[in-house]
Amino acid sequence: QVQFVESGGGLVQPGGSLRLSCAASESRFSRISIAWYRLAPGNRRELVASISWSGDTNYTDSVKGRFTIARDNAKRTVFLQMNSLRPEDTAVYYCNLIRPYSSWGQGTQVTVSS
């Protein structure tokens, strides 16, 4: 099982920015695809952005143009740069594989509020 540790969340005002980090334990990190997910109260877990082993990226429509996913294979880390944040972006953010999932980490809380 791949293990993930998320960090970088916090409280920001609408229109602000955050940069999330996801550190992975996988020794062959450069050969796996990773995604960011989020879970808000009352909602299902949502796939936000993904990046393949080759660097191809995909985003859910609501974050296109605002979020950017990237990876640093040397550091076994995936990043999510979040700009122009909105209150509806408030959620716990997790990173994981695309199905089948690995173990879920604790996530990192993102709160967008004035």
Side-chain angles (χ1 to χ4, degrees):
Q1 291 284 298
V2 183
Q3 293 181 316
F4 301 98
V5 179
E6 302 92 345
S7 63
L11 173 64
V12 296
Q13 297 181 9
S17 297
L18 284 173
R19 180 174 176 266
L20 307 184
S21 297
C22 169
S25 65
E26 174 58 50
S27 61
R28 295 186 179 275
F29 179 85
S30 63
R31 297 180 61 185
I32 61 174
S33 299
I34 300 178
W36 281 98
Y37 303 82
R38 64 187 179 188
L39 181 63
N43 290 14
R44 294 182 178 275
R45 198 184 307 273
E46 176 188 23
L47 176 63
V48 177
S50 64
I51 185 166
S52 73
W53 67 270
S54 61
D56 294 331
T57 59
N58 285 283
Y59 302 90
T60 191
D61 286 344
S62 64
V63 308
K64 287 180 179 177
R66 300 189 298 120
F67 291 9
T68 303
I69 188 171
R71 65 193 298 161
D72 184 335
N73 290 338
K75 295 183 177 181
R76 298 178 182 176
T77 302
V78 175
F79 304 97
L80 186 66
Q81 178 66 48
M82 306 186 296
N83 299 325
S84 302
L85 283 162
R86 305 166 180 169
E88 53 263 43
D89 295 318
T90 296
V92 180
Y93 284 71
Y94 303 86
C95 56
N96 210 318
L97 308 177
I98 301 175
R99 289 195 191 92
Y101 303 125
S102 188
S103 299
W104 293 97
Q106 294 182 348
T108 185
Q109 175 71 50
V110 172
T111 302
V112 185
S113 176
S114 60

